Amino acid sequence: RDFEFIVTESEAEALILENTLIKNQRPKYNARLKDDKTYPYLKIGLNEEFPQVYITRRVSNDGARYFGPYASAGSVRKTLDLLNKLFPYRSCTRTITGNDPRPCLDFHIKRCLGPCIGAVGEEEYRDVLNQVVLFLEGRQDAVMRDVKRKMQSASRDFDFERAAFYRDQLQAIERVTERQKTVSTRL
């Protein structure tokens, strides 16, 4: 009998509105989102000493950065996996003291900088998390400029191993952003 529509500014805003309306109105034949679950988000706990990037379904005003909502837990897991391949932040839940006797496997496969063993300080680790934030904000050009600057600086200092790490990271980011540009032009 009635038809009402609400215009939103973005797809993310539409998903949040849909979630809220389903929870409030509890439509009889719409089983999806009736439970207490909400859409998943990526959370970066910037108020921690060595912040983590993880999945959450609750958004609160706690000083952390939230990205989302994502349509499914699978899509947010894929994003998390991609981010960890591009940026070597920690994915463990250990308490970081910097005095652990051995690093985890992620450190050996260059997916973690090793704050648990003191291989990196808080400032350098936060720099990586800032790159993750810029990347999630869609500012890949700024991230690539920063990585390129670090690569050139390491090369000037004859730290070729570190320069090669940044070169590989830069190439991986370029591959990901090229793929995104290709997909968006087809739409």
Side-chain angles (χ1 to χ4, degrees), residues 118-132:
V120 68
E122 186 179 352
E123 186 177 325
E124 190 176 346
Y125 184 81
R126 281 204 180 271
D127 190 39
V128 169
L129 265 288
N130 289 335
Q131 288 179 340
V132 171

Side-chain angles (χ1 to χ4, degrees), residues 179-187:
R179 213 174 305 140
Q180 287 176 345
K181 289 177 186 172
T182 304
V183 169
S184 65
T185 57
R186 290 182 188 165
L187 294 176

Side-chain angles (χ1 to χ4, degrees), residues 39-134:
Y39 287 108
Y41 290 81
L42 273 180
K43 177 181 179 180
I44 302 176
L46 295 174
N47 50 355
E48 302 167 13
E49 189 175 0
F50 288 96
Q52 293 177 270
V53 180
Y54 49 91
I55 301 169
T56 185
R57 291 186 182 267
R58 303 216 189 290
V59 177
S60 59
N61 192 8
D62 58 358
R65 288 292 309 267
Y66 294 88
F67 296 93
Y70 288 84
S72 68
S75 63
V76 76
R77 274 191 217 93
K78 286 179 184 175
T79 302
L80 200 57
D81 188 46
L82 172 69
L83 287 172
N84 197 233
K85 287 177 183 173
L86 295 176
F87 306 102
Y89 60 85
R90 74 187 190 100
S91 58
C92 66
T93 56
R94 300 178 182 189
T95 302
I96 303 299
T97 62
N99 299 324
D100 287 5
R102 293 184 319 184
C104 62
L105 177 63
D106 285 344
F107 176 77
H108 291 293
I109 60 173
K110 301 197 184 321
R111 284 199 177 184
C112 180
L113 293 175
C116 58
I117 60 168
V120 68
E122 186 179 352
E123 186 177 325
E124 190 176 346
Y125 184 81
R126 281 204 180 271
D127 190 39
V128 169
L129 265 288
N130 289 335
Q131 288 179 340
V132 171
V133 169
L134 287 173

